[in-house]
Amino acid sequence: YGGFYGSEIHRDEREPDFHVVYLDGDIGVPDDHSDNSYHVLNGSSTDATAVLDGFRIIHGNANTTAINDYRHGGGMYINQGCTVTATNDSDVYNNTATIAGGGAYVLGTFNGVENLSDIYENSAPNGGGMAVPGGIVNLNTSDMYLNEATAANGKGGGIYLTAGGALTMTNSAYIYYLNQAYDGAGVYADNSTVTMESNSIFRDNIASNNGGALYLTNNSMLISHSGRIGQAGVGLENEAILGAGI
């Protein structure tokens, strides 16, 4: 639990948005990201009780050439069968990876709960915000923005879903505000499923090629119950050469 000032008597007196606690990957030379932690948080032995409450995950850099796992998931690496839930202003931002999943690499399950627990300003060649090869991501009021797939043909500025991965967005979860990629600026889904519920929204994502909000391929499915692709207003549209929405 983060967000303590030091004078609290009860845990519910914390104010994580004022008393910010960082889990910071900048462990070597200050401001030299080349020697940062490969993963700030390694969720490799966690179950459904693992909760990240009131922390900011920053400056992970999965950049080694020696071990494949250490080139994915600069902010978080969530292994198969494991679960991490982020709540109470637990943001994941300013993390990078050399292959996929700048913010997180999710083989297991990630739950983003509460509208201040967001994933933003992360980058990787594919899956700037997250790469999800067969894993599960649940965004429940949690948002994703300003993430980038940096490869020339980068896929999934926000999320790169593959191998049966699943994304569920509920309760006004947003994937929006300048997520960028070559294809699938918001989400690139390959043999995967995207479910939108309860006024969840894709808007103002920018693909330099196709699929501004979503790029669906290889039997991928979009299931929407009161979800929206785009939003009325100047500057709120998704952009692409083909399929600005999908």
Side-chain angles (χ1 to χ4, degrees):
Y1 295 90
F4 290 98
Y5 179 70
S7 59
E8 297 85 356
I9 298 174
H10 302 289
R11 193 170 63 202
D12 59 7
E13 296 176 6
R14 295 174 302 138
E15 295 182 285
D17 50 339
F18 291 107
H19 309 305
V20 178
V21 178
Y22 295 97
L23 300 181
D24 192 339
D26 192 3
I27 59 173
V29 177
D31 300 321
D32 179 359
H33 296 313
S34 66
D35 61 359
N36 287 14
S37 298
Y38 300 139
H39 316 305
V40 177
L41 186 149
N42 191 335
S44 292
S45 300
T46 57
D47 59 21
T49 64
V51 177
L52 192 69
D53 188 321
F55 292 95
R56 313 283 176 87
I57 294 179
I58 63 172
H59 296 152
N61 184 18
N63 67 336
T64 185
T65 59
I67 302 173
N68 188 53
D69 288 352
Y70 292 166
R71 293 182 285 173
H72 302 79
M76 295 187 293
Y77 188 99
I78 304 174
N79 220 332
Q80 193 169 16
C82 300
T83 300
V84 172
T85 296
T87 189
N88 206 2
D89 208 8
S90 291
D91 296 330
V92 180
Y93 67 96
N94 199 9
N95 300 281
T96 60
T98 56
I99 292 184
Y105 192 74
V106 184
L107 296 161
T109 300
F110 174 82
N111 302 310
V113 181
E114 188 255 341
N115 66 354
L116 293 177
S117 295
D118 298 333
I119 299 94
Y120 60 95
E121 294 183 3
N122 302 286
S123 64
N126 293 299
M130 288 184 167
V132 188
I136 298 169
V137 172
N138 299 306
L139 300 180
N140 183 348
T141 73
S142 182
D143 303 325
M144 301 192 72
Y145 54 93
L146 286 171
N147 300 288
E148 183 178 4
T150 57
N153 61 346
K155 300 173 177 62
I159 302 179
Y160 181 43
L161 280 172
T162 59
L167 165 67
T168 299
M169 303 167 61
T170 58
N171 294 326
S172 300
Y174 277 53
I175 296 180
Y176 77 121
Y177 190 49
L178 303 181
N179 293 297
Q180 298 185 58
Y182 181 76
D183 285 328
V187 171
Y188 185 100
D190 182 350
N191 188 29
S192 298
T193 302
V194 177
T195 301
M196 302 177 65
E197 300 178 347
S198 308
N199 298 312
S200 53
I201 294 177
F202 283 86
R203 68 166 172 83
D204 52 328
N205 300 287
I206 301 175
S208 58
N209 191 42
N210 299 327
L214 284 156
Y215 189 110
L216 304 173
T217 187
N218 193 21
N219 298 314
S220 291
M221 292 189 298
L222 170 64
I223 303 168
S224 180
H225 306 285
S226 71
R228 288 184 285 171
I229 307 292
Q231 187 172 357
V234 176
L236 301 181
E237 63 274 7
N238 298 290
E239 299 180 20
I241 293 175
L242 295 175
I246 304 174

